[in-house]
Amino acid sequence: MSSSETPASASSSTNDVNELAEMLGQLSTAPTSEECDAIAREMGAKLLKDGLINLKTSNILATLESEATNKKSGLAREGALIGICALAEVVGRPSEPYFAPMLPMVLDLYADKGPVVQDAAARAAVAIMGIMPSQSTPLILPLLFQSISGPGKKWQTKVGALQLLADLSNASPIQVGIALPEIIPIVKDCLSDTKSEVAAQAYKTMLRVCNVGGNPDITRHLKDLCDCMAHPEKVPAVIEKISSTTFVADMHGPALAIMVPLLVRAFNERSAHVQRQTTIIVDNLCKLVKDPAEAGQFLPDLLPGLERVIEVAAAPEIRALATAAKNTLIKAGGATKIDPTTLPGSIVPSETESRTVVSRAVSKFGFFPSFFDPAKHHVAALSIVLVKEENLSVREWNQIVTPYFTAFMPPSDAASAVKAILEHYIELDRKINGEQNVQDDEEGEELCNIDFSLAYGGMMLLNHTKLRLHRGHRYGLCGHNGAGKTTLMRSISLGKVDGFPSPDVLRTVFVEHALQGEEGEMSVWDFITSDSNLANTPKEEITKALETVGFTDEMQKRQVGSLSGGWKMKLELARAMLMNADILLLDEPTNHLDATNIKWLEEYLVKQTNVTSIIVSHDSSFLDNVCTNILHYERKKLKMYKGNLSEFVKVKPEAKSYYTLAATSIKFEFPKPSFLVGVKSNTKAIVKMSRCTYTYPGAAKPSLINASVQLSLSSRVGVIGPNGAGKSTMIKLLTGEHSPQEGTVWKHPNLRIGYVAQHAFHHLEQHLEKTPNQYIQWRYQGGADREVLEKPTVAWSPEEQAQMETWVTGNDGSKRQVETLMGRQKLKKSFQYEVKWKNHVHKFNTWMTREKLLELGFEKLVRQFDDREASREGLGYRDLTPSAIRRHLEDVGLDGDIGDHNAISGLSGGQKVKVVIAAAMWNNPHMLVLDEPTNYLDREALGGLAVAIRNWGGAVIMISHSQEFVSSLCPETWSVNAGHITINGKTAVDESNFDDGDQPIKVVNRKKKKSRNEIKAQEVRRRLRHLEWLASDKGSPKPPDTDSD
C-alpha cells in the first residue's frame, strides 16, 4: 500500500483481490464450459474496471499458466484455456503483451488427449490472434515458428500453428508478404513431413501465404511453385511452364521472395535448356523490379548462378543471354546484398534505442510498476515495425499503439505518450532526410490534415503519406508521368482518399478535359443546366459565370462539340465556379488555352482567396505565376515545399527538368521518311493550300477565309493564334479531314501524313480495351492506315456519286463508265492510272494520266487511291510484328512492357499521347502534324519530343500555345486570327521548286551531250572561222561561237 492510499481504499483493493482470487478458483471447478466462460468474462470486466495490475496482484497469469499445464486434471486445463480465451476477448488489445507469450503453450495443448481441451485450446489461440493489430505479425511469427519447427513438437501442434499462419495471411497480408523470406523456409520443411496431416496443412498454408504476393503473373503458377518446393525434381517442368509467361506486373518483395529460391535452385540444374529458360526469366523479372531496396534484398542471390552460367555454359547463345541478364540485374540494383533498414535515410531504430524512446516518453507521466514493462517493450517492438513501414501517421499510431498504454495510464496521458514517441521519429526523419525545407507553419484555415495511402490496381502510388491543405493556397502537384497525379485528384473528388473530409464538409470539384460523346451535342447553356449539382442555381448566376469566362449570348447557344479545346476548358471552369468549390482540382488547365486566356486563368486563380487549388500542369511559367506551394512525389510520398516552381527548383535542383526542354532521361526517335518520287530538294513543296475558305455546318461565319500556305520536307512551322481563330480547322483541311467549300488543297500523291489531333485521345476512344501494341496492329493490319481510310472526306457525297455515273469517251471513240482504279505507275513527272471500266473485263483496262482524270472530275477517286497507295508504300518499310511494334513504342518513350500488356484505358494522359504519336509515325510519314503536342506530356517527355523533331528529316507543323516549345523549334510561324493567316519568319519552301500537280506537265528537251570526235570537229571549224576573220577586211564583225556550228 502506498502512503497516499486510505484504509478504506486499501480495504476495497483487498476485497477486489479476494473476489478475483475466488473467481479464479471457480474456473477449474465450474461444472460446465458455459459457466466457466461466464466467470472468466466477469473477471475480464472487473479487470477493465479496476486495472490490469490485478493480473499480478491476484496472481491470475501465473495461475492460468499453471492450471493449463496441469497434467492431472483435464477440467483444470480446459478451465484455464476458457479463461485465457474469455479474458483476451473482454480485455482486448491491452492484454496482448501478457497473453501472446502463452501462445506456444496453448498450441501444445492442441495435442491434448481430451477433445474438449483441444477445442478450448483452438478457441484460446484464435482469441489471442484476434486481439492483435496486423503490425504485431512480426512479433507473433517467432512464436508460431517455435511451434512449427521446435524440437519435440507433436503433429497436432504443428498443424494448429500452420492453420494460424494461414489465417494470418488473410488478416495481415502486407506484413506476411514482408516476412515471406522467413516464412517460406519454415513451411517448406513441413511439406516433406512424414506425417501426412502436417504435409497437407503445410501445402494449404504455403498456397495462402504465397498468395499475398498479389502478383497476377505468379498467382497463376502458385500450385506448381508449391509442388516444386515439396518435390525439387519438378523444377525443370515448373521452369518450362513459367518461361511461357510474360511478366507484366511490377515485382515487389513478396513476389521476389517466392521466385528467387526457385530460380536459384534452377541454376543448379545441369540441363542447358533449363539454364537458358531460367536466364531469360531472370532477365524479364529484373526489368520489373522498381525498388532498389527490394532489388538489393533479393536479387544478389541470383548473381552467383548467372556468373556460373556465363563461365561454364557451352552454348554461346546461353552465355550471351546470361550476360544480358546479369547487366539487367545490376542495373536494377541487385549487385550487392542490402539490408533495407541500413539504407541511407533509414530511421529504423535498434531494439535498445526503441525501448529508450518509449521509456523516456512514459516516464513523463509518472513511475509505473515493473509489471507493465512487457507492455512498454511491446510498444517499442511495434514502433520498429511502424517505422520500417514508413508509417508516421498520427491517426494510425493512435489507433495501434495507444490501447497498450491505457493498461496503466489514463487515455489522455496514453495519447500524449504516443505523440511524444511519434514526434521523436518525425523529427529524426526530418534531420536525416534533409526535410527542413518542408513547411508546416502555413497561414490560413486548415482544410485537411490527413495520412493516407493510395494504390492503383496492384501498384502502390503513395505509401503512408501526409497531405495538409490550407484555404486560399494554390498547390502545384509535380511528378513524372505515371506517378499518379491525376489518380490522386480523381480519388479526392470521388471521396476515395482515406480520412479526407466528406463532400458535405469540404466541396471539391475536379476540372479535366472530359467533354465527349453525347455532351458534344448539347448547347453550352444546356450543358451547364444539365448538371444535377446546379439544378437549383438561378439563371442569373449561370449567365454571369459564362460571361465571366467569355461566353457571349450567341456562344451560349452553340453546340459544345463545335467549341475549340480552349473554349471547352473555359466551359469546364465556368461549371466549377458555379459549384462554389472549397477545393479546385485542376488537371492540365492550360491545355488548349492561348496566352490571353492563360493570363486570365492565372489572375482568376490568384484572386480566389477562399478557394484552394491543386494543379497538375506541365506549363512551368503558369505554375510559377500561380502556385504558393509545390507538392512533389518523392519515394511514394508527397513532400510539401513552400513557394512557386522557381523556389522549388532552388531547393531541388534535380527537378530542373520542369523548367527546361532537356531530355535528361527520355529519348524520342522518329523513323526516317522514305523517298518521295520527284522531290529531290528539301525545299520543294509537298503540300499546298490555295485560297481556301471553310465554314462549319450551322456556323454563321467561316472559320477560315482565303487561306494559302505551303510546306516542304524541311518546314518547321508553328501555328499560333487565339482560341477559336481557325488553327485546328486549317490543319484538318491540310490533312484531308475536312474539304474546303472554296479553294483547293494539293499534296504530293505519295505524301504520308502523321496526324496527332488536338484531342489526341479521340484516336483511341474505340480501342480502350486494347494494349498499345494491339492498337497499332489493328490500325495497320489491312495493309493501309485505317484512320486514313476512315476520314470523313472518304465518304462520297451525292455529287461525287453522280460523277461516277458519267460517260467517258475512250481513245477508240467508245463511251464507258469508270468503275475503279486498279494501279498506278510513274509517267514523266506525274502518274498514270489503270482504269477498270464498268461491265468490261480486265483485259479492256486502259491507262489514263492523272491530269486527264482530274479534268474529267474524278478527283475524289484519284486522291483516295493515292492515299491508299501512299499508306501501303509506308508499311512496306515495316514489319508488323509485336516485337517490332514494341521497339517502335520504346522509341517514343513508352515502356515496352506497358505497350505490350497494359490496356489503353489504364494509361495516364502522357502515356496515351505517346501511343498516338507512335501510331501516327508507324508508316514512316513525310509530314507530322501536331495539334497541341505539349498537352499531357511532362517536361522530360517534351524535351525528348523536341529533340526528335529537331533531328527528323520530314516536315513538321504544330499548333501550340507553348511559346517556349514553338520558338525553340520553328523558324516559321503562321499567325491565325479570325480565320485569316499571316506568315512570319523564314519560309522553307522555294517557290520555283513548287510543282503543282494540277498544272499540265511541260516537257523540256534536254541537250544531247557531244561525243569526243564531235567536240574536235567543232574546234576545227571554229579555228578555220577565226582564221577567215583575221584575213578579212579591217572592221569586219567577228562571227560568234555557237553550240550549233
Side-chain angles (χ1 to χ4, degrees):
M1 185 189 306
S2 66
S3 59
S4 61
E5 287 181 321
T6 65
S9 64
S11 175
S12 174
S13 177
T14 303
N15 291 336
D16 290 338
V17 169
N18 292 334
E19 188 177 349
L20 285 170
E22 184 181 344
M23 291 180 182
L24 189 60
Q26 293 173 356
L27 280 179
S28 57
T29 59
T32 65
S33 300
E34 290 76 13
E35 290 183 33
C36 189
D37 182 70
I39 293 170
R41 291 185 181 278
E42 188 178 349
M43 287 176 61
K46 195 161 188 62
L47 285 171
L48 285 177
K49 178 183 177 184
D50 299 334
L52 293 191
I53 189 65
N54 286 300
L55 286 171
K56 177 183 179 183
T57 56
S58 298
N59 207 27
I60 292 175
L61 293 176
T63 302
L64 287 174
E65 191 167 357
S66 173
E67 291 295 306
T69 56
N70 185 348
K71 295 182 179 181
K72 295 181 180 180
S73 172
L75 190 64
R77 294 197 299 274
E78 182 190 6
L81 290 170
I82 291 174
I84 291 172
C85 175
L87 287 174
E89 289 178 349
V90 173
V91 178
R93 191 170 297 173
S95 66
E96 180 194 340
Y98 304 98
F99 287 130
M102 294 183 181
L103 189 60
M105 177 198 70
V106 174
L107 284 167
D108 285 341
L109 291 172
Y110 273 48
D112 194 274
K113 294 179 180 179
V116 292
V117 176
Q118 294 175 11
D119 182 61
R123 285 188 279 121
V126 170
I128 293 173
M129 299 289 288
I131 62 176
M132 299 187 310
S134 59
Q135 283 74 15
S136 287
T137 298
L139 314 182
I140 210 70
L141 282 176
L143 302 178
L144 293 177
F145 294 162
Q146 179 183 335
S147 296
I148 293 173
S149 58
K153 295 296 181 181
K154 296 186 177 180
W155 70 266
Q156 295 94 334
T157 298
K158 292 183 178 181
V159 169
L162 287 167
Q163 287 174 337
L164 291 179
L165 181 56
D167 294 338
L168 191 62
S169 66
N170 289 343
S172 309
I174 295 176
Q175 287 72 23
V176 169
I178 294 171
L180 273 182
E182 305 163 34
I183 294 172
I184 288 177
I186 298 291
V187 181
K188 180 183 174 184
D189 290 342
C190 294
L191 289 171
S192 54
D193 196 278
T194 54
K195 199 69 176 177
S196 60
E197 290 87 348
V198 176
Q201 182 59 49
Y203 182 79
K204 294 177 184 177
T205 300
M206 185 67 84
L207 279 175
R208 290 176 65 179
V209 297
C210 289
N211 199 40
V212 303
N215 188 297
D217 303 328
I218 294 177
T219 301
R220 70 187 78 165
H221 297 296
L222 273 184
K223 289 186 177 180
D224 292 323
L225 290 167
C226 291
D227 282 340
C228 187
M229 294 177 193
H231 307 284
E233 67 275 8
K234 293 185 178 181
V235 167
V238 173
I239 289 292
E240 181 76 33
K241 284 187 178 181
I242 294 178
S243 66
S244 63
T245 299
T246 303
F247 289 97
V248 180
D250 286 351
M251 281 286 170
H252 297 294
L256 292 171
I258 298 168
M259 287 296 298
V260 168
L262 169 68
L263 296 171
V264 170
R265 177 69 182 79
F267 274 129
N268 294 327
E269 293 290 325
R270 294 184 177 182
S271 167
H273 179 64
V274 173
Q275 290 183 348
R276 180 183 183 278
Q277 290 176 321
T278 306
T279 301
I280 293 172
I281 293 170
V282 169
D283 189 32
N284 293 333
L285 181 145
C286 291
K287 291 176 181 176
L288 297 171
V289 181
K290 307 298 184 184
D291 188 344
E294 291 177 339
Q297 185 180 358
F298 296 99
L299 297 186
D301 294 341
L302 298 171
L303 200 54
L306 283 172
E307 291 175 339
R308 188 165 57 252
V309 171
I310 293 171
E311 291 175 7
V312 304
E317 181 205 6
I318 297 178
R319 294 199 299 271
L321 289 171
T323 303
K326 179 182 176 182
N327 292 335
T328 305
L329 183 146
I330 293 172
K331 184 178 179 182
T336 54
K337 197 78 173 177
I338 294 176
D339 180 357
T341 61
T342 62
L343 288 174
S346 173
I347 61 169
V348 179
S350 66
E351 183 178 345
T352 303
E353 291 170 342
S354 180
R355 288 187 177 187
T356 302
V357 172
V358 172
S359 296
R360 189 166 55 241
V362 171
S363 64
K364 296 177 182 178
F365 300 94
F367 171 77
F368 301 98
S370 60
F371 173 75
F372 295 113
D373 285 351
K376 292 189 283 185
H377 295 164
H378 193 78
V379 167
L382 277 178
S383 299
I384 296 174
V385 175
L386 288 165
V387 172
K388 278 184 180 178
E389 293 180 359
E390 298 184 1
N391 184 352
L392 299 179
S393 162
V394 175
R395 179 172 55 84
E396 293 197 28
W397 275 64
N398 278 329
Q399 289 178 352
I400 296 167
V401 180
T402 304
Y404 299 106
F405 284 157
T406 58
F408 56 92
M409 299 171 68
S412 58
D413 289 350
S416 299
V418 171
K419 183 180 179 183
I421 298 170
L422 179 58
E423 285 179 347
H424 167 80
Y425 291 112
I426 291 176
E427 186 61 30
L428 189 63
D429 183 44
R430 288 180 176 173
K431 287 180 179 178
I432 293 179
N433 294 318
E435 296 298 320
Q436 294 86 347
N437 50 347
V438 178
Q439 301 291 326
D440 282 335
D441 55 340
E442 300 288 349
E443 298 179 356
E445 176 191 352
E446 184 178 273
L447 297 182
C448 79
N449 189 353
I450 60 172
D451 297 276
F452 68 100
S453 297
L454 181 69
Y456 180 78
M459 181 167 48
M460 182 66 73
L461 300 175
L462 291 168
N463 183 26
H464 294 299
T465 191
K466 184 176 181 180
L467 179 63
R468 188 182 183 197
L469 303 176
H470 289 78
R471 187 176 295 280
H473 288 238
R474 297 173 294 280
Y475 301 90
L477 191 58
C478 295
H480 61 83
N481 271 353
K485 303 184 293 293
T486 301
T487 302
L488 171 60
M489 294 205 298
R490 184 173 284 112
S491 298
I492 291 175
S493 69
L494 297 176
K496 293 183 178 179
V497 172
D498 190 25
F500 198 87
S502 60
D504 55 339
V505 176
L506 201 65
R507 175 171 285 192
T508 60
V509 178
F510 186 28
V511 181
E512 61 175 339
H513 300 267
L515 296 179
Q516 303 291 345
E518 296 179 359
E519 294 174 335
E521 304 296 326
M522 297 181 180
S523 68
V524 169
W525 179 267
D526 291 340
F527 171 76
I528 294 289
T529 55
S530 65
D531 193 312
S532 58
N533 295 317
L534 301 175
N536 299 322
T537 305
K539 291 185 177 180
E540 296 76 16
E541 286 188 28
I542 296 176
T543 302
K544 183 179 179 181
L546 289 171
E547 290 176 348
T548 300
V549 298
F551 282 93
T552 62
D553 291 340
E554 180 185 348
M555 291 185 69
Q556 293 176 25
K557 299 175 184 176
R558 289 177 58 182
Q559 286 187 348
V560 171
S562 68
L563 299 176
S564 68
W567 282 105
K568 285 180 180 177
M569 174 47 77
K570 293 178 79 172
L571 180 58
E572 291 273 22
L573 287 169
R575 181 167 65 171
M577 290 164 57
L578 287 165
M579 291 183 182
N580 298 319
D582 295 299
I583 297 179
L584 277 178
L585 306 168
L586 303 173
D587 189 13
E588 300 290 357
T590 62
N591 282 2
H592 312 300
L593 293 183
D594 56 29
T596 303
N597 283 315
I598 290 175
K599 182 68 175 175
W600 171 85
L601 179 59
E602 290 173 354
E603 293 174 351
Y604 170 77
L605 291 175
V606 171
K607 289 178 183 176
Q608 305 304 307
T609 55
N610 289 323
V611 178
T612 298
S613 303
I614 301 178
I615 306 163
V616 172
S617 177
H618 295 129
D619 187 335
S620 54
S621 61
F622 176 74
L623 292 178
D624 249 357
N625 295 334
V626 169
C627 292
T628 58
N629 302 81
I630 296 295
L631 284 169
H632 190 231
Y633 278 75
E634 296 177 19
R635 292 168 46 216
K636 298 182 182 179
K637 302 282 186 184
L638 284 177
K639 298 297 183 183
M640 178 84 73
Y641 296 86
K642 196 170 185 179
N644 61 7
L645 191 62
S646 300
E647 298 299 318
F648 167 59
V649 171
K650 290 177 184 177
V651 178
K652 300 280 289 186
E654 62 270 26
K656 196 175 181 180
S657 61
Y658 292 116
Y659 251 158
T660 61
L661 286 177
T664 55
S665 63
I666 296 178
K667 181 181 179 182
F668 286 17
E669 187 175 342
F670 292 162
K672 184 179 178 181
S674 57
F675 175 70
L676 267 179
V677 177
V679 179
K680 298 179 180 179
S681 168
N682 281 346
T683 60
K684 186 171 184 177
I686 55 175
V687 62
K688 180 180 181 180
M689 187 164 67
S690 302
R691 298 179 293 280
C692 289
T693 298
Y694 181 80
T695 306
Y696 279 99
K701 57 182 181 179
S703 295
L704 203 64
I705 303 170
N706 199 31
S708 297
V709 293
Q710 53 191 6
L711 294 163
S712 70
L713 284 174
S714 61
S715 291
R716 296 289 185 275
V717 178
V719 183
I720 59 176
N723 290 128
K727 303 185 297 298
S728 296
T729 303
M730 180 195 66
I731 293 294
K732 289 177 179 178
L733 290 178
L734 276 176
T735 59
E737 285 202 23
H738 293 329
S739 296
Q741 285 97 5
E742 298 177 20
T744 59
V745 177
W746 174 89
K747 65 175 183 176
H748 190 286
N750 277 6
L751 182 69
R752 291 186 298 279
I753 300 175
Y755 180 34
V756 180
Q758 182 184 65
H759 305 285
F761 303 160
H762 97 271
H763 296 276
L764 308 174
E765 285 168 6
Q766 307 302 319
H767 310 283
L768 296 179
E769 77 289 352
K770 294 185 177 72
T771 66
N773 200 310
Q774 290 169 343
Y775 166 66
I776 293 180
Q777 290 180 55
W778 169 88
R779 181 165 166 177
Y780 291 101
Q781 67 185 356
D785 185 351
R786 289 195 183 185
E787 295 231 343
V788 171
L789 303 180
E790 293 176 5
K791 287 180 183 177
T793 49
V794 172
W796 290 75
S797 67
E799 294 80 8
E800 290 166 339
Q801 290 176 344
Q803 175 63 32
M804 294 297 294
E805 301 298 325
T806 58
W807 294 88
V808 178
T809 303
N811 295 331
D812 58 357
S814 62
K815 290 189 176 183
R816 305 173 184 177
Q817 289 179 310
V818 174
E819 181 177 333
T820 188
L821 300 180
M822 301 295 295
R824 185 184 71 178
Q825 65 183 23
K826 190 79 171 65
L827 177 66
K828 297 180 180 178
K829 289 188 176 181
S830 185
F831 291 92
Q832 61 178 355
Y833 297 81
E834 182 184 0
V835 181
K836 167 72 171 66
W837 304 101
K838 283 184 181 179
N839 304 319
H840 287 73
V841 295
H842 286 278
K843 70 177 183 179
F844 292 103
N845 291 0
T846 57
W847 292 89
M848 295 184 69
T849 65
R850 175 185 176 87
E851 291 70 34
K852 181 66 174 177
L853 286 168
L854 295 177
E855 181 184 334
L856 292 172
F858 295 104
E859 179 180 357
K860 182 65 166 280
L861 191 65
V862 170
R863 292 194 176 183
Q864 281 193 0
F865 188 86
D866 286 344
D867 285 344
R868 194 160 52 247
E869 287 300 299
S871 182
R872 286 177 180 169
E873 180 189 334
L875 294 176
Y877 298 92
R878 287 290 196 180
D879 183 14
L880 195 67
T881 61
S883 58
I885 295 173
R886 178 191 175 104
R887 288 193 297 273
H888 179 67
L889 289 168
E890 290 172 342
D891 283 343
V892 294
L894 187 71
D895 183 87
D897 291 321
I898 291 176
D900 284 348
H901 308 292
N902 288 34
I904 292 173
S905 58
L907 303 185
S908 69
Q911 290 167 334
K912 287 180 181 177
V913 171
K914 292 175 186 176
V915 173
V916 174
I917 293 174
M921 299 300 293
W922 174 255
N923 67 341
N924 291 6
H926 306 97
M927 182 172 118
L928 179 60
V929 180
L930 300 169
D931 196 348
E932 298 287 4
T934 58
N935 291 350
Y936 302 104
L937 292 179
D938 60 21
R939 301 292 300 178
E940 287 194 304
L942 279 180
L945 178 61
V947 172
I949 289 174
R950 186 189 63 200
N951 297 336
W952 191 51
V956 179
I957 177 171
M958 66 181 76
I959 296 176
S960 178
H961 296 304
S962 173
Q963 182 63 34
E964 171 192 19
F965 194 73
V966 172
S967 61
S968 64
L969 292 172
C970 302
E972 181 180 358
T973 57
W974 298 347
S975 177
V976 184
N977 198 348
H980 295 277
I981 298 178
T982 304
I983 300 175
N984 302 304
K986 182 180 179 182
T987 181
V989 181
D990 185 347
E991 294 284 351
S992 63
N993 284 336
F994 188 80
D995 181 16
D996 192 333
D998 296 334
Q999 299 298 323
I1001 299 173
K1002 298 179 181 179
V1003 180
V1004 178
N1005 293 324
R1006 295 182 178 274
K1007 298 173 184 176
K1008 185 179 178 181
K1009 189 176 180 180
K1010 290 182 172 65
S1011 67
R1012 184 180 297 177
N1013 290 335
E1014 287 174 336
I1015 292 174
K1016 288 181 178 179
Q1018 184 185 56
E1019 291 174 351
V1020 169
R1021 290 194 300 273
R1022 288 182 175 179
R1023 189 163 55 251
L1024 290 174
R1025 191 164 57 246
H1026 184 68
L1027 291 173
E1028 290 176 1
W1029 175 71
L1030 291 174
S1032 63
D1033 296 335
K1034 190 176 181 179
S1036 298
K1038 180 179 180 180
D1041 291 335
T1042 64
D1043 290 339
S1044 59
D1045 61 353

